[in-house]
Amino acid sequence: AAPGAGPPVPPGRDMPGGTRAAVGTKTAVVARERNGRSALADAAGRGQVDAVQRLLGGGSDIDAKDEEGNTALAHAAAAGKRATFDALIAAGADRKAKNKAGSTALMLAAERGHVDLVKAILAGPADNEAKTPAGATALGLSVRGCHEPVVRVLLAASARVDTLIDERVPQIVHAAASCPEGVTAALLAKGAPVDQIDEQNRTALWHAANRGHLETVRLLLRHGAHQQLVDAQGRTPLLRAVENGHSAIGELLVGNGSDVTRKSLTGNTALMLAAKSGLASVVSVILGKGADLDARNDGGHSALMLAAHEGHAEVVGILLKAGASKGLRNKRRETAMDLAASAGHDTAASLLRP
């Protein structure tokens, strides 16, 4: 089943045998298919308007639910079948009915990105802020699917932007981590809290930097995102960006004032992590901010040692030119040259020989 426990989209166009048999007799009309759906629900999900109208005329229960609690209207909404949805609404279907997962027709249409259906539902009585037991709203479900057109329609209908998806992840955080920047932009334009955090104390900026979403990082910075907030491991967006090798984001954050002296809980600075990742341009930018060349992490490693161990000869050369010490030893008494040589990085090792 889908995350919102909506019905599966029927695979074909032809009416199943059960639907054909249903026409004309009330006993057959209420018969269920092998998959647990009524003939009415099956026809609704396939977009078969004539069949829906015949079944309703034959006495089918318009709000009957399948094994997952989905009505025929829910099947039409989940499948994006506007014509059968409209026919069911005209016949008096309950548009606010919820399935066993707590999802309404609006939620199911929003979750699957059916923007025209979302507009149609909102044109009538609809609860934009209804929540599943897990705390998800229609907007949250559309954000989770990165359905920007639906997100914008729901926001225009005054959906709240500060709620969580499944009681854990703020909408703005998920958008920054997983969606094109347009979704994040839409949320911010309606006042989403830019520094809202998830359960690991991670902000939207942290996640965008972590995933390498440069344009989203730019967007968040323009909206005043706090660059110095740390996650549960003591990592700022800058630390996470350079640790994951995102050079352009690292340079952008340093240029926008990120603290280059901040250490993670394991003692790593941005210079150390940039050196380890081989980000020569970021190393140069950080050095220009006066970073401590010979600072060491909890293992006793300096930026030079980390670059040497990974064989990043260009970074080794930059650090040496800036005055980094060759003679420092880590807690295992190894020098940068020892680390380069033991890892088989001859070019880096040659730069480090006395």
Side-chain angles (χ1 to χ4, degrees):
V9 178
R13 292 184 178 180
D14 293 334
M15 293 170 62
T19 302
R20 291 196 186 96
V23 178
T25 65
K26 187 168 182 177
T27 301
V29 166
V30 298
R32 294 193 175 273
E33 305 296 321
R34 292 180 180 179
N35 58 15
R37 295 195 303 269
S38 69
L40 178 62
D42 195 73
R46 292 174 185 273
Q48 298 165 343
V49 179
D50 291 344
V52 166
Q53 292 173 336
R54 287 197 299 270
L55 288 162
L56 289 174
S60 181
D61 181 355
I62 195 170
D63 291 322
K65 295 185 176 183
D66 64 15
E67 294 170 352
E68 293 183 339
N70 291 299
T71 64
L73 190 70
H75 281 273
K81 302 300 183 181
R82 175 70 184 273
T84 48
F85 181 89
D86 287 346
L88 290 163
I89 289 295
D94 181 4
R95 67 170 67 222
K96 294 185 180 181
K98 292 186 175 184
N99 62 20
K100 290 182 179 179
S103 291
T104 62
L106 176 60
M107 293 176 184
L108 294 170
E111 181 180 26
R112 299 195 180 191
H114 301 312
V115 66
D116 288 340
L117 256 176
V118 169
K119 290 178 180 178
I121 296 170
L122 291 174
D127 186 357
N128 204 1
E129 298 303 332
K131 293 183 179 181
T132 66
T137 63
L139 178 60
L141 293 169
S142 66
V143 169
R144 183 166 64 185
C146 298
H147 303 305
E148 183 181 343
V150 175
V151 168
R152 291 187 179 277
V153 168
L154 290 166
L155 289 172
S158 301
R160 289 184 58 183
V161 295
D162 59 348
T163 56
L164 306 181
I165 300 175
D166 296 343
E167 297 182 336
R168 295 178 293 114
V169 182
Q171 294 169 2
I172 189 69
V173 167
H174 178 86
S178 303
C179 301
E181 65 269 19
V183 177
T184 303
L187 293 169
L188 290 172
K190 289 293 184 177
V194 69
D195 289 325
Q196 198 172 9
I197 59 174
D198 64 14
E199 59 189 354
Q200 293 295 316
N201 214 48
R202 294 167 180 169
T203 63
L205 182 61
W206 191 100
H207 280 281
N210 174 58
R211 296 288 183 90
H213 300 324
L214 177 60
E215 293 308 313
T216 300
V217 169
R218 292 186 197 278
L219 174 68
L220 291 164
L221 290 175
R222 288 197 300 270
H223 280 80
H226 197 318
Q227 299 179 67
Q228 318 305 348
L229 296 177
V230 298
D231 72 349
Q233 285 75 49
R235 297 172 299 186
T236 62
L238 172 60
L239 289 172
R240 194 57 177 162
V242 296
E243 184 175 15
N244 283 347
H246 303 310
S247 182
I249 292 177
E251 291 182 51
L252 175 63
L253 291 171
V254 173
N256 275 269
S258 285
D259 185 359
V260 299
T261 67
R262 172 84 67 170
K263 291 185 176 184
S264 69
L265 294 184
T266 55
N268 285 308
T269 64
L271 180 62
M272 294 175 192
L273 294 175
K276 183 177 180 180
S277 296
L279 308 182
S281 62
V282 179
V283 167
S284 296
V285 171
I286 292 174
L287 289 175
K289 296 293 182 179
D292 184 352
L293 265 175
D294 292 327
R296 289 192 276 179
N297 63 20
D298 291 355
H301 295 97
S302 66
L304 183 63
M305 293 178 189
L306 293 170
H309 184 261
E310 299 299 325
H312 300 309
E314 182 182 3
V315 174
V316 168
I318 292 171
L319 292 170
L320 289 173
K321 185 176 180 179
S325 174
K326 297 180 181 180
L328 296 178
R329 295 179 180 273
N330 63 20
K331 290 187 175 180
R332 298 177 62 179
R333 305 302 298 161
E334 299 163 312
T335 65
M337 187 185 73
D338 294 334
L339 292 167
S342 64
H345 301 307
D346 296 338
T347 301
S350 67
L351 295 173
L352 293 161
R353 290 193 179 96

